[in-house]
mmCIF file of all heavy atoms in Angstrom:
data_model
loop_
_atom_site.group_PDB
_atom_site.id
_atom_site.type_symbol
_atom_site.label_atom_id
_atom_site.label_comp_id
_atom_site.label_asym_id
_atom_site.label_seq_id
_atom_site.Cartn_x
_atom_site.Cartn_y
_atom_site.Cartn_z
ATOM 1 N N ASP B 199 -60.703 -47.907 -262.218
ATOM 2 C CA ASP B 199 -61.322 -48.440 -261.011
ATOM 3 C C ASP B 199 -62.823 -48.584 -261.252
ATOM 4 O O ASP B 199 -63.501 -47.614 -261.610
ATOM 5 C CB ASP B 199 -61.062 -47.455 -259.850
ATOM 6 C CG ASP B 199 -61.517 -48.017 -258.504
ATOM 7 O OD1 ASP B 199 -62.345 -48.936 -258.510
ATOM 8 O OD2 ASP B 199 -61.046 -47.512 -257.480
ATOM 9 N N PRO B 200 -63.375 -49.804 -261.092
ATOM 10 C CA PRO B 200 -64.817 -49.970 -261.354
ATOM 11 C C PRO B 200 -65.695 -49.120 -260.424
ATOM 12 O O PRO B 200 -66.835 -48.826 -260.760
ATOM 13 C CB PRO B 200 -65.065 -51.466 -261.135
ATOM 14 C CG PRO B 200 -63.808 -52.041 -260.594
ATOM 15 C CD PRO B 200 -62.696 -51.045 -260.732
ATOM 16 N N ASN B 201 -65.175 -48.716 -259.280
ATOM 17 C CA ASN B 201 -65.971 -47.880 -258.367
ATOM 18 C C ASN B 201 -65.698 -46.380 -258.638
ATOM 19 O O ASN B 201 -64.648 -45.862 -258.275
ATOM 20 C CB ASN B 201 -65.616 -48.234 -256.916
ATOM 21 C CG ASN B 201 -66.509 -47.496 -255.924
ATOM 22 O OD1 ASN B 201 -67.279 -46.606 -256.309
ATOM 23 N ND2 ASN B 201 -66.404 -47.854 -254.658
ATOM 24 N N PRO B 202 -66.669 -45.679 -259.276
ATOM 25 C CA PRO B 202 -66.429 -44.279 -259.659
ATOM 26 C C PRO B 202 -66.296 -43.343 -258.458
ATOM 27 O O PRO B 202 -65.835 -42.212 -258.599
ATOM 28 C CB PRO B 202 -67.653 -43.919 -260.503
ATOM 29 C CG PRO B 202 -68.704 -44.886 -260.104
ATOM 30 C CD PRO B 202 -68.007 -46.147 -259.651
ATOM 31 N N LYS B 203 -66.700 -43.814 -257.269
ATOM 32 C CA LYS B 203 -66.616 -42.944 -256.079
ATOM 33 C C LYS B 203 -65.178 -42.745 -255.616
ATOM 34 O O LYS B 203 -64.900 -41.883 -254.794
ATOM 35 C CB LYS B 203 -67.444 -43.540 -254.939
ATOM 36 C CG LYS B 203 -68.920 -43.499 -255.230
ATOM 37 C CD LYS B 203 -69.693 -43.958 -254.014
ATOM 38 C CE LYS B 203 -71.182 -43.886 -254.283
ATOM 39 N NZ LYS B 203 -71.889 -45.000 -253.679
ATOM 40 N N GLY B 204 -64.280 -43.563 -256.152
ATOM 41 C CA GLY B 204 -62.870 -43.452 -255.762
ATOM 42 C C GLY B 204 -62.174 -42.261 -256.401
ATOM 43 O O GLY B 204 -61.105 -41.861 -255.976
ATOM 44 N N ARG B 205 -62.774 -41.725 -257.472
ATOM 45 C CA ARG B 205 -62.081 -40.632 -258.156
ATOM 46 C C ARG B 205 -62.949 -39.377 -258.182
ATOM 47 O O ARG B 205 -64.169 -39.434 -258.033
ATOM 48 C CB ARG B 205 -61.684 -41.028 -259.579
ATOM 49 C CG ARG B 205 -62.803 -41.603 -260.391
ATOM 50 C CD ARG B 205 -62.339 -42.132 -261.750
ATOM 51 N NE ARG B 205 -63.426 -42.845 -262.382
ATOM 52 C CZ ARG B 205 -63.566 -44.164 -262.365
ATOM 53 N NH1 ARG B 205 -62.656 -44.935 -261.820
ATOM 54 N NH2 ARG B 205 -64.623 -44.734 -262.915
ATOM 55 N N VAL B 206 -62.278 -38.251 -258.421
ATOM 56 C CA VAL B 206 -63.005 -37.010 -258.574
ATOM 57 C C VAL B 206 -62.335 -36.270 -259.725
ATOM 58 O O VAL B 206 -61.115 -36.267 -259.860
ATOM 59 C CB VAL B 206 -63.049 -36.225 -257.248
ATOM 60 C CG1 VAL B 206 -61.674 -35.805 -256.778
ATOM 61 C CG2 VAL B 206 -63.951 -35.014 -257.350
ATOM 62 N N SER B 207 -63.163 -35.721 -260.595
ATOM 63 C CA SER B 207 -62.618 -35.094 -261.792
ATOM 64 C C SER B 207 -63.004 -33.620 -261.864
ATOM 65 O O SER B 207 -64.142 -33.259 -261.541
ATOM 66 C CB SER B 207 -63.191 -35.802 -263.029
ATOM 67 O OG SER B 207 -62.980 -34.998 -264.166
ATOM 68 N N PRO B 208 -62.081 -32.778 -262.323
ATOM 69 C CA PRO B 208 -62.445 -31.367 -262.488
ATOM 70 C C PRO B 208 -63.494 -31.159 -263.581
ATOM 71 O O PRO B 208 -64.060 -30.071 -263.685
ATOM 72 C CB PRO B 208 -61.119 -30.693 -262.859
ATOM 73 C CG PRO B 208 -60.193 -31.777 -263.274
ATOM 74 C CD PRO B 208 -60.669 -33.041 -262.632
ATOM 75 N N PHE B 209 -63.765 -32.194 -264.381
ATOM 76 C CA PHE B 209 -64.738 -32.033 -265.468
ATOM 77 C C PHE B 209 -66.125 -32.571 -265.116
ATOM 78 O O PHE B 209 -67.023 -32.588 -265.945
ATOM 79 C CB PHE B 209 -64.204 -32.667 -266.762
ATOM 80 C CG PHE B 209 -62.943 -31.975 -267.218
ATOM 81 C CD1 PHE B 209 -61.708 -32.575 -267.051
ATOM 82 C CD2 PHE B 209 -63.001 -30.702 -267.754
ATOM 83 C CE1 PHE B 209 -60.546 -31.917 -267.429
ATOM 84 C CE2 PHE B 209 -61.845 -30.030 -268.135
ATOM 85 C CZ PHE B 209 -60.612 -30.633 -267.966
ATOM 86 N N GLU B 210 -66.286 -33.025 -263.885
ATOM 87 C CA GLU B 210 -67.617 -33.468 -263.461
ATOM 88 C C GLU B 210 -68.398 -32.283 -262.923
ATOM 89 O O GLU B 210 -67.818 -31.261 -262.560
ATOM 90 C CB GLU B 210 -67.466 -34.484 -262.325
ATOM 91 C CG GLU B 210 -67.277 -35.901 -262.802
ATOM 92 C CD GLU B 210 -66.680 -36.761 -261.705
ATOM 93 O OE1 GLU B 210 -66.136 -36.219 -260.725
ATOM 94 O OE2 GLU B 210 -66.743 -37.968 -261.853
ATOM 95 N N ASP B 211 -69.730 -32.468 -262.815
ATOM 96 C CA ASP B 211 -70.499 -31.337 -262.315
ATOM 97 C C ASP B 211 -70.283 -31.172 -260.800
ATOM 98 O O ASP B 211 -69.919 -32.123 -260.103
ATOM 99 C CB ASP B 211 -71.980 -31.479 -262.683
ATOM 100 C CG ASP B 211 -72.564 -32.725 -262.104
ATOM 101 O OD1 ASP B 211 -72.759 -32.749 -260.886
ATOM 102 O OD2 ASP B 211 -72.771 -33.704 -262.860
ATOM 103 N N PRO B 212 -70.484 -29.944 -260.281
ATOM 104 C CA PRO B 212 -70.175 -29.645 -258.886
ATOM 105 C C PRO B 212 -70.809 -30.615 -257.888
ATOM 106 O O PRO B 212 -70.183 -30.988 -256.906
ATOM 107 C CB PRO B 212 -70.735 -28.233 -258.698
ATOM 108 C CG PRO B 212 -70.676 -27.636 -260.060
ATOM 109 C CD PRO B 212 -70.923 -28.749 -261.023
ATOM 110 N N GLU B 213 -72.049 -31.046 -258.174
ATOM 111 C CA GLU B 213 -72.721 -31.943 -257.230
ATOM 112 C C GLU B 213 -71.953 -33.250 -257.053
ATOM 113 O O GLU B 213 -71.806 -33.794 -255.959
ATOM 114 C CB GLU B 213 -74.155 -32.232 -257.694
ATOM 115 C CG GLU B 213 -75.154 -31.245 -257.127
ATOM 116 C CD GLU B 213 -74.765 -30.749 -255.725
ATOM 117 O OE1 GLU B 213 -74.739 -31.584 -254.804
ATOM 118 O OE2 GLU B 213 -74.459 -29.553 -255.546
ATOM 119 N N HIS B 214 -71.484 -33.738 -258.182
ATOM 120 C CA HIS B 214 -70.708 -34.972 -258.215
ATOM 121 C C HIS B 214 -69.418 -34.833 -257.409
ATOM 122 O O HIS B 214 -69.056 -35.685 -256.604
ATOM 123 C CB HIS B 214 -70.350 -35.218 -259.696
ATOM 124 C CG HIS B 214 -70.346 -36.643 -260.055
ATOM 125 N ND1 HIS B 214 -71.273 -37.183 -260.888
ATOM 126 C CD2 HIS B 214 -69.515 -37.632 -259.692
ATOM 127 C CE1 HIS B 214 -71.017 -38.460 -261.029
ATOM 128 N NE2 HIS B 214 -69.957 -38.760 -260.311
ATOM 129 N N ILE B 215 -68.749 -33.710 -257.637
ATOM 130 C CA ILE B 215 -67.473 -33.440 -256.945
ATOM 131 C C ILE B 215 -67.724 -33.403 -255.432
ATOM 132 O O ILE B 215 -67.042 -34.064 -254.659
ATOM 133 C CB ILE B 215 -66.864 -32.096 -257.440
ATOM 134 C CG1 ILE B 215 -66.509 -32.212 -258.928
ATOM 135 C CG2 ILE B 215 -65.644 -31.701 -256.602
ATOM 136 C CD1 ILE B 215 -65.951 -30.940 -259.539
ATOM 137 N N ARG B 216 -68.744 -32.660 -255.032
ATOM 138 C CA ARG B 216 -69.071 -32.536 -253.604
ATOM 139 C C ARG B 216 -69.383 -33.908 -253.003
ATOM 140 O O ARG B 216 -68.867 -34.262 -251.951
ATOM 141 C CB ARG B 216 -70.298 -31.634 -253.401
ATOM 142 C CG ARG B 216 -69.996 -30.166 -253.582
ATOM 143 C CD ARG B 216 -71.147 -29.292 -253.074
ATOM 144 N NE ARG B 216 -70.881 -27.916 -253.427
ATOM 145 C CZ ARG B 216 -71.381 -27.285 -254.496
ATOM 146 N NH1 ARG B 216 -72.234 -27.904 -255.299
ATOM 147 N NH2 ARG B 216 -71.064 -26.029 -254.753
ATOM 148 N N ARG B 217 -70.223 -34.662 -253.719
ATOM 149 C CA ARG B 217 -70.666 -35.948 -253.176
ATOM 150 C C ARG B 217 -69.472 -36.883 -252.952
ATOM 151 O O ARG B 217 -69.336 -37.499 -251.904
ATOM 152 C CB ARG B 217 -71.681 -36.582 -254.135
ATOM 153 C CG ARG B 217 -72.558 -37.588 -253.459
ATOM 154 C CD ARG B 217 -73.700 -38.118 -254.325
ATOM 155 N NE ARG B 217 -74.120 -37.253 -255.400
ATOM 156 C CZ ARG B 217 -74.078 -37.603 -256.692
ATOM 157 N NH1 ARG B 217 -73.615 -38.769 -257.067
ATOM 158 N NH2 ARG B 217 -74.508 -36.772 -257.621
ATOM 159 N N ASN B 218 -68.585 -36.961 -253.962
ATOM 160 C CA ASN B 218 -67.460 -37.896 -253.824
ATOM 161 C C ASN B 218 -66.487 -37.463 -252.727
ATOM 162 O O ASN B 218 -65.967 -38.306 -252.000
ATOM 163 C CB ASN B 218 -66.719 -38.064 -255.158
ATOM 164 C CG ASN B 218 -67.480 -38.995 -256.086
ATOM 165 O OD1 ASN B 218 -68.609 -39.381 -255.786
ATOM 166 N ND2 ASN B 218 -66.870 -39.368 -257.194
#
Side-chain angles (χ1 to χ4, degrees):
D199 187 340
N201 186 351
K203 292 186 178 142
R205 51 186 171 262
V206 63
S207 164
F209 297 105
E210 273 161 343
D211 60 72
E213 269 327 296
H214 216 112
I215 296 178
R216 285 193 187 97
R217 202 173 336 120
N218 282 8

